[in-house]
Amino acid sequence: MRRLFFTILFASAAHAAPTPPIAPAPTHEQVEFFEKHVRPVLAEQCYKCHGPDKQKGELRVDSREALLKGTDSGPIVVPGDPAKGTFIKSIRHEIENTMPAKAPKLSDEKIAALTEWVKMGMPWPEHDKNAAPSKAQIAATHWAFQPIRKPAVPAVKDSAHWAQNEIDHFVLAKLEAAGLTPSPIASRYALIRRATFDLTGLPPTSAEVAAFQNDPAPTRDAFAKVVDRLLASPQYGERWGRHWLDVARYADHRGYLAGGASREYPFAWTYRDWVIQALNDDMPYDQFLTRQLAADLPGSGAKPGDIAALGFLTLGRRFLNNPNDIIDDRIDVVMRGTMSLTVGCARCHDHKYDPITAKDYYALHGVMASCEEDADPEKLPLLPGGKASPEFEKARAGVLAELRAEDQKIADKISATIRIGSGLSIWFSAEMVDAIAKKNGLPKKIVEGRTKEKNKLVKLELDPGSPPRAHVLRDRPQPVKPHVFIRGN
């Protein structure tokens, strides 16, 4: 047995891979090159199949040591010499086993960066030994967190004839690189139809087409006037406001609600109109976002009418009125709508691909939980210039009288000492009504009668004579201290 043991041991030693060379400490420039041009490619293109969770072909590429170890067949890369080994050949698609597998070839820029990195000797920051990059490291190179940069305008051959602006240069450069030529210049009829449909969603009128076709100015100048007119039209905000309202999951009702409660948001339209007006006023994007998150707070720069912008946070789903689901909806609309990040996974666990942890999620949860909204439409703030019509006031007084009569039925059943005029709110919560009914053995018909009258009041707020109000979110007097819910429980 000892003889067999030594035979196996020496045979294994003879075929073992050589010890990877110890790399010198990378320079600052090498670390910067790696973080900007190499790590993002490895993380985005390679870790899924060759990372900590999965090692196809026994290959890991999330550390220098793992990459130098290679596959189950041996080393695949030699530091300093991209021509040796199969790593660079694989990403260049020069061999049968290509990387990324079953995916398009990497861009020339990414291949050049990886090749240069191998030529440098594969510098890798020491703190990353045998470990996938940390959340902070991923965040440093994540596309969503990179500053916006103005790219250089590419030079083109035929710029004087076809390219009219900088965007045309980018289009023409791609066409020339592909050996293609631009389409013919569009006619004035085609131009005004394209612009009008794009900016207003409607076709141009015959008079507008004729005016553009008969304009003696050069086409470029005449078309600029058409575009300016369309951008100044109210229909521009209506057309393009719809795109943001889709992002903001705008609706004028709450979806399904149990117990026969009213589903309408009586003043949802005030948020819709605010978005349309913001676009027509050319409101800068940073102000557009700030108003929708904090129009009620000092320092937001908001005007009185901007309070309607808070519909961005409040006009969301209310399925079963679960407070944590409502908060999740608000976190989702803010993060997806403004940062293109889906963070809902972090409600139960650290996000696998984006640098969002459960602690990050519940920090946001604490912010949203520290806010409250009024369920009573009568308590929502009036918008400037809003005034109720006499017809509305009369109808409202009638519904309130009926509602108070229903409340009095409940009060009479519970106790003769309770009186509506002594502070009992007409806006019982659904939970309060259920508790009162169950505790006092009230007939279901009485509770349903009250809900029916309450819904009448909500629907009445949809009347054109109703003074416009804003759905708002206010800070609670005392902030909530958030906790991480383990697995979202």
Side-chain angles (χ1 to χ4, degrees), residues 257-271:
L257 288 177
S262 174
R263 299 190 299 169
E264 285 82 4
Y265 281 114
F267 301 106
W269 61 271
T270 61
Y271 171 66

Side-chain angles (χ1 to χ4, degrees), residues 155-315:
V156 291
K157 300 174 184 176
D158 195 22
S159 60
H161 178 257
W162 189 85
Q164 300 293 314
N165 52 52
E166 292 184 347
I167 295 177
D168 289 348
H169 278 253
F170 286 94
V171 174
L172 189 55
K174 289 292 186 180
L175 291 174
E176 290 178 351
L180 302 174
T181 56
S183 299
I185 300 297
S187 65
R188 288 197 177 193
Y189 177 74
L191 285 175
I192 192 170
R193 278 184 60 84
R194 291 175 186 173
T196 309
F197 268 116
D198 189 43
L199 295 178
T200 70
L202 300 168
T205 66
S206 299
E208 290 168 346
V209 173
F212 179 47
Q213 290 180 324
N214 297 327
D215 191 329
T219 297
R220 183 173 182 176
D221 297 336
F223 187 54
K225 289 188 285 185
V226 169
V227 173
D228 287 343
R229 172 179 60 79
L230 294 171
L231 290 174
S233 69
Q235 290 76 21
Y236 166 73
E238 294 168 0
R239 160 75 164 164
W240 285 94
R242 170 61 187 271
H243 292 277
W244 180 256
L245 292 172
D246 286 345
V247 171
R249 44 77 173 114
Y250 170 81
D252 54 14
H253 61 86
R254 296 169 169 83
Y256 172 76
L257 288 177
S262 174
R263 299 190 299 169
E264 285 82 4
Y265 281 114
F267 301 106
W269 61 271
T270 61
Y271 171 66
R272 176 201 66 195
D273 287 4
W274 181 88
V275 170
I276 292 171
Q277 194 60 47
L279 266 71
N280 281 332
D281 289 344
D282 294 329
M283 181 179 289
Y285 184 61
D286 59 341
Q287 296 177 26
F288 183 70
L289 292 186
T290 301
R291 304 294 193 275
Q292 294 178 78
L293 298 174
D296 60 319
L297 299 179
S300 67
K303 300 175 182 177
D306 288 334
I307 197 73
L310 292 175
F312 177 69
L313 294 174
T314 52
L315 300 179

